Amino acid sequence: MRSPQSRILLPAFLILFCAPLGAQKIDIPDIPGYKTLQCDFHMHTVFSDGVVWPAVRVDEAAREGLAAISITDHLENRRKDVTSSRNRTHDTAKQSAKDKRVILIRGGEITRAMPPGHLNAIFSKDNDALYKEDWRESLAEAKKQGAFITWNHPGWDRQQPHTTRWLPEHEEIYKNGWMHGIEIANGGDYFPEAFQWALDKKLTIIGASDAHQPIQAYADFAKGEHRTMTLVFAKARTEEAIREALDNRRTAVFFKDFIHGEEQWLRPLLEKSLVVQKITHKPAATSGASTSARTEKYEIVFKNNSGLLFCLKKIVPGAPSHYFREYIIKPQGQLTLSVGTPAETGSDEISFEVSNFLTTPKTPLIHTIKLLPTPAAKTTK
Ligand SMILES: [Zn+2]
Ligand SMILES: [Zn+2]
């Protein structure tokens, strides 16, 4: 039997050594030419209607391996006893961001009923100057400060109860150059209409936690969950490089197990994450059943080098859809697949739909693999 003292010490020992701080980080590979930066540009603190101190937001981000955050307290919805400058949030968190190597981008949320709803101005210079009676003046000032402006949670139930609509006010905002990005995912909500608008109107897609509570309220890290975030494909891990990437729409949205974004970013991300280690050819049987049933058999070994999950569904491009089993390749996981192609088609390719990589609200990324059996390990290109 252990002494009372060791009974106290043992759990502490286990906590220290079994829960390394890196446990919450998700490994998402860089793509050729760009670093993949995990960012969250929308969250709150005690300086508006959140419940945590600004430096805590930095600690959370550091634990999760985020490159950058913006603390976007509401300029308007503040507790009555908060009378300080609207720059206080950012200034309070600055030192801790420096210590933890998290890029802290100044920002604030312009908060109105619908229309126009809520908009974030990040990369703002002076949040006090953004605070105005008239939202048009706030947005004009944000633009004057060189801020990057996003329309937040466009399909928020409370503001758009039936359908997610692009209203005349949003058209006006867009035409005035007061909207550069749009949230297609916010916390636990996803807005497919906004994703389509972003593609059509060339807006930058954004995903954000909009955390008001401590971040653990939104993600069970022990289960491998993560906050909703924006993946920024930047030339460097700097504030300027993030801004350049946002201005040039090099983002994807990481929401639950889904990655949303344009094919030009999702394809390299897939190819860097999921590699084909080996393909083995098993020649078709020549005796027995009728020739029409003959198939060429291949064994494919996939290795997932990332912390992302992949859902693959075997398809025949252009053919009417059939039922095919869905294969899940877990983070850092491996999968060996036995597949057949009809021998008479002579096809040396096999295609998969990556069901959780969406390049439009309705289009999954298609991943085609050349069936070239090689003795050596081979990666897909
Ligand atoms: Zn709020
Ligand atoms: Zn909001």
Side-chain angles (χ1 to χ4, degrees):
M1 194 175 160
R2 294 191 304 260
S3 69
Q5 194 187 16
S6 74
R7 240 179 281 158
I8 294 163
L9 281 175
L10 189 62
F13 180 86
L14 286 175
I15 287 163
L16 276 174
F17 291 93
C18 298
L21 289 178
Q24 299 177 6
K25 291 182 184 165
I26 297 185
D27 184 17
I28 306 179
D30 294 336
I31 62 171
Y34 301 108
K35 290 192 180 309
T36 302
L37 304 181
Q38 301 177 36
C39 305
D40 184 0
F41 302 121
H42 188 173
M43 63 192 73
H44 299 271
T45 74
V46 291
F47 288 99
S48 61
D49 58 349
V51 301
V52 308
W53 189 253
V56 175
R57 291 297 183 214
V58 174
D59 288 346
E60 293 171 343
R63 269 201 304 278
E64 293 162 62
L66 298 194
I69 60 169
S70 182
I71 306 177
T72 49
D73 275 318
H74 301 279
L75 300 170
E76 303 82 1
N77 296 6
R78 304 206 298 174
R79 292 191 175 82
K80 282 198 183 70
D81 57 347
V82 174
T83 53
S84 57
S85 157
R86 289 173 173 78
N87 293 306
R88 176 104 195 270
T89 306
H90 183 86
D91 296 341
T92 302
K94 237 191 219 166
Q95 187 56 46
S96 126
K98 206 172 158 199
D99 296 344
K100 303 267 161 114
R101 292 175 204 282
V102 172
I103 297 165
L104 182 67
I105 296 163
R106 193 184 298 272
E109 187 166 17
I110 298 162
T111 315
R112 295 292 188 281
M114 187 66 74
H118 297 188
L119 293 108
N120 271 354
I122 62 171
F123 293 92
S124 56
K125 302 228 158 47
D126 175 9
N127 284 355
D128 288 325
L130 294 180
Y131 178 64
K132 311 256 192 208
E133 187 75 34
D134 179 352
W135 58 261
R136 287 176 176 87
E137 280 177 34
S138 287
L139 292 173
E141 171 63 25
K143 189 183 178 184
K144 202 175 111 197
Q145 290 187 18
F148 184 89
I149 308 169
T150 60
W151 180 12
N152 301 338
H153 42 74
W156 186 26
D157 237 34
R158 233 198 276 175
Q159 293 196 323
Q160 302 240 52
H162 306 298
T163 51
T164 303
R165 296 163 303 160
W166 180 276
L167 298 164
E169 287 80 359
H170 302 116
E171 189 62 20
E172 178 193 342
I173 289 170
Y174 174 69
K175 290 235 167 96
N176 283 341
W178 294 342
M179 192 195 301
H180 311 112
I182 189 166
E183 284 183 352
I184 70 160
N186 173 295
D189 296 326
Y190 163 58
F191 315 111
E193 299 89 344
F195 187 14
Q196 193 58 54
W197 293 336
L199 296 170
D200 297 342
K201 300 173 194 295
K202 307 288 175 217
L203 294 165
T204 303
I205 57 167
I206 300 289
S209 70
D210 197 0
H212 285 69
Q213 307 285 317
I215 198 68
Q216 291 89 336
Y218 308 94
D220 186 341
F221 296 105
K223 285 189 186 153
E225 291 176 3
H226 61 90
R227 70 169 84 194
T228 298
M229 65 174 86
T230 307
L231 303 182
V232 177
F233 305 107
K235 288 176 186 158
R237 193 189 167 108
T238 64
E239 185 169 344
E240 298 70 34
I242 289 171
R243 179 60 195 261
E244 187 275 337
L246 290 178
D247 286 339
N248 288 291
R249 305 179 60 243
R250 288 198 311 273
T251 63
V253 168
F254 187 22
F255 169 75
K256 298 187 176 171
D257 286 331
F258 287 84
I259 304 277
H260 300 85
E262 289 186 356
E263 180 173 352
Q264 57 176 330
W265 316 123
L266 265 52
R267 186 166 300 288
L269 188 60
L270 168 82
E271 287 173 354
K272 290 291 272 184
S273 304
L274 191 64
V275 298
V276 173
Q277 273 190 329
K278 199 175 174 201
I279 298 179
T280 320
H281 183 213
K282 311 241 160 121
T286 46
S287 61
S290 70
T291 48
S292 64
R294 268 176 38 166
T295 58
E296 297 287 328
K297 289 275 186 203
Y298 294 88
E299 194 175 85
I300 307 175
V301 182
F302 287 103
K303 173 77 179 81
N304 182 357
N305 289 327
S306 77
L308 302 171
L309 179 132
F310 290 92
C311 302
L312 298 185
K313 214 185 262 185
K314 196 183 124 189
I315 56 153
V316 179
S321 64
H322 295 281
Y323 167 77
F324 283 112
R325 186 176 299 163
E326 192 160 51
Y327 304 98
I328 305 283
I329 309 179
K330 291 193 173 150
Q332 319 296 346
Q334 197 172 327
L335 177 77
T336 302
L337 260 188
S338 263
V339 293
T341 61
E344 57 272 27
T345 66
S347 171
D348 61 350
E349 285 183 349
I350 186 156
S351 292
F352 296 92
E353 184 182 284
V354 187
S355 323
N356 63 324
F357 270 48
L358 296 176
T359 58
T360 82
K362 290 177 184 162
T363 320
L365 189 69
I366 305 297
H367 188 32
T368 299
I369 293 163
K370 278 255 179 238
L371 292 167
L372 295 173
T374 45
K378 196 167 161 50
T379 56
T380 56
K381 259 279 160 296

